[in-house]
Amino acid sequence: MLTAVRGIYENEQVILDEPLPTQHAKVIVTIIEEKAILKKRPLGTMKGTIWMSDDFNEPLDDLKEYM
């Protein structure tokens, strides 16, 4: 079973945000650099960049023989 616990690495120590659910376990540490964390974009920043053709739901000429 895998369990994820967040924490930070500081002064050559891993400081966990919460205690581990067991006293004995193998551990894998994954380093996530601060610059790798994506920041949330404000809502509406993509507005107007995606559009749909007016005839989107019309049958395609290429498929007439199958209809």
Side-chain angles (χ1 to χ4, degrees), residues 10-55:
E10 188 174 81
N11 298 325
E12 298 184 7
Q13 290 185 342
V14 176
I15 302 166
L16 301 176
D17 291 349
E18 59 189 76
L20 295 177
T22 182
Q23 293 296 316
H24 179 76
K26 291 184 180 183
V27 178
I28 299 171
V29 177
T30 303
I31 306 298
I32 304 172
E33 294 184 33
E34 290 292 322
K35 61 184 174 186
I37 298 173
L38 298 177
K39 302 210 189 273
K40 288 186 177 181
R41 286 185 238 155
L43 295 175
T45 57
M46 296 293 292
K47 187 175 182 176
T49 61
I50 300 173
W51 60 274
M52 192 175 297
S53 175
D54 292 334
D55 64 349

Side-chain angles (χ1 to χ4, degrees), residues 52-64:
M52 192 175 297
S53 175
D54 292 334
D55 64 349
F56 175 77
N57 285 327
E58 299 300 320
L60 297 173
D61 291 335
D62 296 343
L63 301 175
K64 278 186 181 177

